[in-house]
Structure formats: C-alpha cells, structure tokens
C-alpha cells in the first residue's frame, strides 16, 4: 500500500505537476473550487514529510535553549505545515500562540531576507532574540544577526510581505 519508499519524482513529473498547478486548480473539482496544497512555501517545511523545522519542537528553543526533536504523538497543523512537539503542553502552547513560538518569517533566514533573498533556515542555526525564535541558513548569518539583530529585523520585516507573496505563487 502507498508509494514505494525509494520513489522520487523525476523532473518531468515535477514539471507536469507545476504546469497543472498553474492552471488554477479548478480542473480538479467539477464545482469550480480550487484545490489547496497541504503545505505552503510561506513556512519552511521538508518537501517530503511536510514537517516544519524538520520536526524539531519550536518551544524547546525557549524552554530548553536547544533544539529537540518532536514526537509524532504530539503534532499540530498550523500555517500549512505539520509541527511536532516533545509533549502535550508544548503542543498546546504553540497552538494557542503560533505567532510567538513559531520561527519568525516562517523560518526563513532574516539576514538573507534583509538582502531581499529567501533562504530557508535550519533548526540547527538559531537564536532567540526579543522573545522570538529566528532560524538561519548558515552559521555566519546567525552570528551576524546575534551581534546586532535590530537592523536585520527592521529590514527583514520591511521586505518580508513582498517576499512572502512571491513564495507560494
């Protein structure tokens, strides 16, 4: 049952799906409704699993000051992504306040966003600044941000709305 574990779609399949998706999606349902994907590029997710931040518990960065892998028993869907947690309390806190506990800018690197580029952050390169979680694509951008976050936050916040709009088109 299901797909074989070693199946990976080729470029032709991806191109076909992309072309069909650009047709507006109305062809999928006779009622004219548009089909929506279960994940979104506005939150950094694993393209195969749909997991946000590779399955790490976003609250662990605040509580334990380190990345901790979440468990399938404690999942929530928010922002088109599947989030995992180490316990029910963390899951409940996140569901109540995803804007606080989720990574800022959907998990995209704020230093790169400040430059006008979208680079997905890694759960291994992170910092909590101003009581918010930020993920980074590289150790160097994390270190630059940690040294002086204010200008990066200011510029990334200005650029994020237009970059976010471009991500899921």
């Amino acid at each position: 049952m299901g797909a074989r574990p070693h199946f990976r779609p080729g470029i032709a399949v991806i191109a076909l799906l992309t072309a069909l998706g650009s047709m507006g999606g109305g062809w999928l349902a006779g009622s004219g409704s548009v089909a929506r994907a279960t994940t979104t590029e506005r939150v950094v997710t694993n393209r195969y699993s749909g997991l946000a931040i590779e399955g790490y518990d976003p609250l662990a960065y605040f509580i334990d000051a380190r990345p901790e892998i979440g468990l399938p028993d404690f999942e929530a869907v928010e922002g088109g992504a599947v989030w995992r947690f180490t316990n029910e309390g963390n899951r409940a806190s996140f569901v109540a306040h995803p804007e606080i506990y989720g990574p800022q800018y959907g998990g995209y690197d704020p230093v790169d966003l400040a430059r006008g580029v979208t680079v997905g952050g890694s759960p291994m390169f992170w910092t909590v600044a101003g009581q918010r979680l930020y993920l980074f694509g590289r150790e160097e951008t994390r270190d630059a941000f940690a040294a002086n976050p204010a200008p990066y936050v200011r510029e990334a916040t200005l650029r994020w709305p237009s970059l976010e709009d471009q991500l899921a088109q």
Side-chain angles (χ1 to χ4, degrees), residues 101-127:
Y101 297 114
Q104 298 302 288
Y105 314 113
Y108 287 90
D109 187 321
V111 174
D112 287 318
L113 289 175
R115 295 184 311 115
V117 181
T118 54
V119 174
S122 164
M124 304 320 290
F125 303 123
W126 62 277
T127 192

Side-chain angles (χ1 to χ4, degrees), residues 64-79:
D64 302 318
R66 67 173 191 231
E68 287 189 43
I69 198 76
L71 303 171
D73 292 345
F74 306 109
E75 287 186 346
V77 176
E78 175 64 40

Side-chain angles (χ1 to χ4, degrees), residues 122-138:
S122 164
M124 304 320 290
F125 303 123
W126 62 277
T127 192
V128 172
Q131 298 182 341
R132 295 296 187 264
L133 173 63
Y134 297 91
L135 302 179
F136 303 88
R138 300 176 310 285

Side-chain angles (χ1 to χ4, degrees), residues 36-167:
R36 298 282 181 213
T38 57
T39 61
T40 175
E41 293 179 4
R42 292 182 175 131
V43 174
V44 177
T45 59
N46 179 297
R47 73 176 69 183
Y48 299 108
S49 68
L51 290 173
I53 61 174
E54 297 297 331
Y56 284 85
D57 181 340
L59 274 83
Y61 296 97
F62 295 92
I63 297 168
D64 302 318
R66 67 173 191 231
E68 287 189 43
I69 198 76
L71 303 171
D73 292 345
F74 306 109
E75 287 186 346
V77 176
E78 175 64 40
V82 177
W83 300 83
R84 286 193 176 163
F85 307 90
T86 57
N87 58 58
E88 179 56 33
N90 286 8
R91 189 190 79 75
S93 294
F94 179 85
V95 168
H97 299 287
E99 73 285 356
I100 292 174
Y101 297 114
Q104 298 302 288
Y105 314 113
Y108 287 90
D109 187 321
V111 174
D112 287 318
L113 289 175
R115 295 184 311 115
V117 181
T118 54
V119 174
S122 164
M124 304 320 290
F125 303 123
W126 62 277
T127 192
V128 172
Q131 298 182 341
R132 295 296 187 264
L133 173 63
Y134 297 91
L135 302 179
F136 303 88
R138 300 176 310 285
E139 187 174 8
E140 298 81 24
T141 57
R142 182 205 49 210
D143 294 347
F145 181 92
N148 188 11
Y152 295 112
V153 169
R154 185 173 42 254
E155 193 61 31
T157 299
L158 287 173
R159 292 181 183 245
W160 177 238
S162 64
L163 292 170
E164 182 183 24
D165 285 344
Q166 294 171 18
L167 286 170

